[in-house]
Structure formats: C-alpha cells, structure tokens
Amino acid sequence: MSETVDRVFLVVAPGLESLLADECRELELPVLETETGGVSLGPGADLFRANLELRLATRALLRVASFEARHFSELSKRARDVPWERFVRPGDGLELKVTSKKSKLYHQDAIAERLLEAASRRVAVVAADAVPEERRQAFVVRLHRDRVSIGVDSSGELLHRRGYRMEGGKAPLRETLAAALLRASGWDTRAALVDPFMGSGTVPIEAAMLARRIAPGLGRRFAFERWPDFDRRVWDAILDRARSAVLPAAGPIFGSDRDAGAVAVTRANAERAGVGADLTLEQRALSEVEPRSGPAWLVTNPPYGARIGDVAALRNLYARLGQVRRERFAAGSATLLTADRSLERALGCPTQARFTTRNGGLLVRCVSF
C-alpha cells in the first residue's frame, strides 16, 4: 500500500530556499522543512494561495504518494494505489518527469512506462505527446535510495511567468529572481527605488507589484484549475480577497536605461502588469542617474560580461556604478547581481553577499554594497 502524503512542496532556484521560507512565513503558509531546491509546507497549507501569492517559488507540487520499490513489479503494484483520477480526466495526457538516484530502478523511460500503465488502470489517460499541451498534467517522480516520491504539478507554466512580459531585453531577468533581489535588498516598499539598468523592466515592475500588494499570479491560469475535484467557489473567493488587498498606488519607483528600445519594452510590460502609472521610466545613461525623492535604494541587474559585452570593458561601468552609489545614493542602499568577482571589486567598496544562484545558466551572486 502506498503512503498518501498530500503535502505541498515548493520548488525554488537553488540558493533562494531561505528567502522563500521567509516569504511563506510572512504569508502564514506553514513551513515544515527547508531543503536544497525547495520548501515543504506543513499540513493544511493552502495550495491555491501558494501558487497565487508567492513571488519566489518556481512551481508548487502536491506530493500525493511515497513508497519503496526495488523491482518494476513492486513499482507497478504500488503505483496502482496512487489516486491519479483526482488530477487527470479520461483522455488527458500524463506527463511524467522522472529522476532516479542511488536506486535499483534507474531507467527513467521504463519507470515512466510502468507509471503510465498503472495510472491507466484507474483512469483512461494517455501519453502526454498524444494530446495538446492544454490537456496534459505533469507529475514529478523522484526515486532516491529506492524510495519513490510522486508529486503532481499544480502550477502548469513555471510561476515566474506572470503573464505581463511579452517582450524581453538582451538578457531578461526571471521575475522570481527579480523578486528575490528585492527581498534580499531589504527594500521596505515605501522608500524610493531606482534601477539604472532596467532592460525589459522586470525589477521595477516586480517592485511596483510588491508595493501595491498585487498577487503575482492574478494575471494567469494554473494547472489545478483543470483537476476533476477543483472547487471553483473556493478559488473565486481567494481571488476576490487578493484583488481587494491591492493598494491604489506604489511609492516612487524609477527605471532607466541608455537604450530607448528598453524603455519602450518596459513601458509595454508595465502596462500589461497594471503598474504603468506607478513607474517613472526614462532613457538615461548611468552617469545621469540620481535620486529624485529623498534617500533611494539602488536595486539592479547590470550587464555581467559573460553574455553581453566583455568583462574588461565593463570594469569602467562598474567603477562608475560604485561612484554613483557613493556620491548620489549614500543615504540609501544598493543591491545587484554579479557573475564576476573582478567586476564586483571594480565597484570600489566592500560588498556583502546575500545569496548565490543561477541566472540563464550562469552562477550569479546577489551583493549589497
């Protein structure tokens, strides 16, 4: 007999686990455990709210079964006890994402084949590639030391896809990482905020949504809305509460970029996010950036050199950024992402690491200085 779990596991980019756990506590989502790559929520955690309101999580899984299996016959037998019919309808496609480490069962395709066969005994499902994408339900299956854990993906598209960013810059920053950058900066949502390298505007847009308490998932749909036991009335009530919590305006948030195209892209993205009126957007070089409303916080994602330009050519830019911070933003704080320690040193002042993660495959550090 398989063990039914029904426990929420939040997937997050490595390095952001403690920040996500703090965010969960602020939202009164019960944190059970923080582990590499995610956060487990305790009994009674609201799966709907986790998807709708969390800004850092990548996806939310509902762990529905956990059992041991050392042979394929044992895997098939245990998998037949999994309540697949709670999450898929007849004719739906089952998308099985399998990983196996230190287990006797290691062939991922063979594992997926047995699980699909077991699920089809309870509900008439098919392989994912046999149906359109909108009729697929993903399950994440993890084998570790012969222990099988099955989680159903409640999110669908990754949670960083808020729905507002139709256009990106040369190196777009994921919305979840921008939210982590803001959280790590300690910005209180009331002080002025400045991003002098805004690109497609992810940092200022996320800042405005945070300041106005706009739930990041309000503009999108989720996989759980297709589950057979989905309760529309409960979901509508949660949505109504989220909409009623939105504040009318954000504090002063400034975004600039030397590229006129970036300003146009940011403006379009901000309008789709519903925060166009909350941002002051300008075409400006870094040397022209200055605080406009008392002490201001610099929060930004400057070029790294690894993807855009050359590291040697960027050292002068970082040196100028450090100078601008010291001369014009001394009363506030500054936080940025960097992928090169030599660029960090070019700032000309001590830095304090906040977290390390990956952005577009690159190892990056969030530092305050």
Side-chain angles (χ1 to χ4, degrees):
M1 188 75 176
S2 66
E3 174 192 346
T4 300
V5 181
D6 275 11
R7 180 171 294 161
V8 177
F9 180 75
L10 303 170
V11 181
V12 71
L16 306 184
E17 295 90 349
S18 62
L19 289 173
L20 175 59
D22 289 342
E23 184 186 17
C24 289
R25 294 184 185 101
E26 288 181 9
L27 293 175
E28 298 182 345
L29 294 171
V31 174
L32 183 67
E33 184 181 6
T34 300
E35 56 190 271
T36 301
V39 174
S40 294
L41 300 183
D46 193 324
L47 180 68
F48 290 177
R49 283 188 58 227
N51 276 286
L52 178 67
E53 299 179 24
L54 287 171
R55 301 179 191 276
L56 273 62
T58 299
R59 67 170 73 250
L61 304 176
L62 183 64
R63 283 179 168 169
V64 294
S66 179
F67 53 85
E68 289 188 357
R70 295 178 177 83
H71 308 282
F72 279 116
S73 58
E74 191 175 14
L75 174 69
S76 296
K77 180 181 178 181
R78 301 290 190 188
R80 291 177 199 139
D81 294 329
V82 176
W84 306 96
E85 67 278 3
R86 289 175 50 194
F87 312 105
V88 289
R89 302 174 186 275
D92 279 355
L94 210 65
E95 184 179 357
L96 295 160
K97 302 177 179 180
V98 180
T99 59
S100 179
K101 295 181 179 179
K102 301 180 180 179
S103 296
K104 290 183 172 62
L105 302 179
Y106 59 87
H107 195 291
Q108 297 175 4
D109 289 343
I111 294 168
E113 181 182 335
R114 299 309 197 282
L115 293 175
L116 177 61
E117 181 183 358
S120 65
R121 287 175 174 248
R122 297 185 64 120
V123 58
V125 293
V126 297
D129 57 8
V131 298
E133 190 170 350
E134 62 271 14
R135 290 182 54 199
R136 300 174 187 174
Q137 174 60 60
F139 286 79
V140 177
V141 182
R142 180 174 180 260
L143 281 76
H144 185 253
R145 298 186 186 278
D146 301 321
R147 188 77 185 175
V148 182
S149 175
I150 300 177
V152 56
D153 174 20
S154 68
S155 304
E157 282 196 300
L158 294 175
L159 292 177
H160 78 87
R161 294 174 180 166
R162 320 284 204 217
Y164 65 75
R165 197 172 70 184
M166 304 302 177
E167 303 174 76
K170 295 178 181 178
L173 182 69
R174 280 195 173 189
E175 294 85 338
T176 45
L177 186 48
L181 187 62
L182 289 162
R183 174 169 282 273
S185 76
W187 180 56
D188 64 4
T189 74
R190 295 184 298 274
L193 184 135
V194 178
D195 180 1
F197 301 103
M198 68 181 182
S200 58
T202 312
V203 169
I205 291 171
E206 288 293 317
M209 292 178 68
L210 176 63
R212 292 188 55 194
R213 299 180 188 173
I214 299 174
L218 272 177
R220 54 162 287 166
R221 297 183 67 83
F222 300 93
F224 62 71
E225 295 181 67
R226 291 197 68 254
W227 292 355
D229 62 354
F230 171 63
D231 193 327
R232 170 60 64 180
R233 289 175 299 176
V234 170
W235 178 232
D236 285 344
I238 291 172
L239 288 174
D240 287 343
R241 285 196 296 272
R243 293 187 184 107
S244 65
V246 174
L247 300 178
I253 298 173
F254 302 92
S256 61
D257 201 287
R258 65 182 304 166
D259 181 6
V263 178
V265 166
T266 297
R267 186 166 286 117
N269 289 339
E271 290 295 333
R272 279 188 288 267
V275 297
D278 298 290
L279 307 181
T280 299
L281 306 175
E282 297 174 314
Q283 182 184 2
R284 281 177 177 260
L286 175 61
S287 59
E288 299 171 336
V289 173
E290 58 186 8
R292 307 289 189 83
S293 180
W297 295 60
L298 274 173
V299 181
T300 191
N301 177 43
Y304 303 151
R307 289 184 295 174
I308 305 175
D310 178 74
V311 172
L314 286 173
R315 289 198 181 101
N316 288 337
L317 180 68
Y318 276 68
R320 182 60 177 153
L321 177 59
Q323 183 182 7
V324 167
R325 188 265 187 273
R326 290 189 298 273
E327 294 179 355
R328 303 177 191 177
F329 293 87
S333 176
T335 303
L336 59 81
L337 286 178
T338 176
D340 190 284
R341 295 294 181 92
S342 68
L343 294 178
E344 225 176 283
R345 291 190 292 271
L347 293 167
C349 48
T351 59
Q352 181 176 0
R354 299 300 182 187
F355 62 78
T356 300
T357 188
R358 289 192 174 274
N359 182 32
L362 291 173
L363 189 66
V364 294
R365 287 191 355 138
C366 169
V367 298
S368 293
F369 67 102

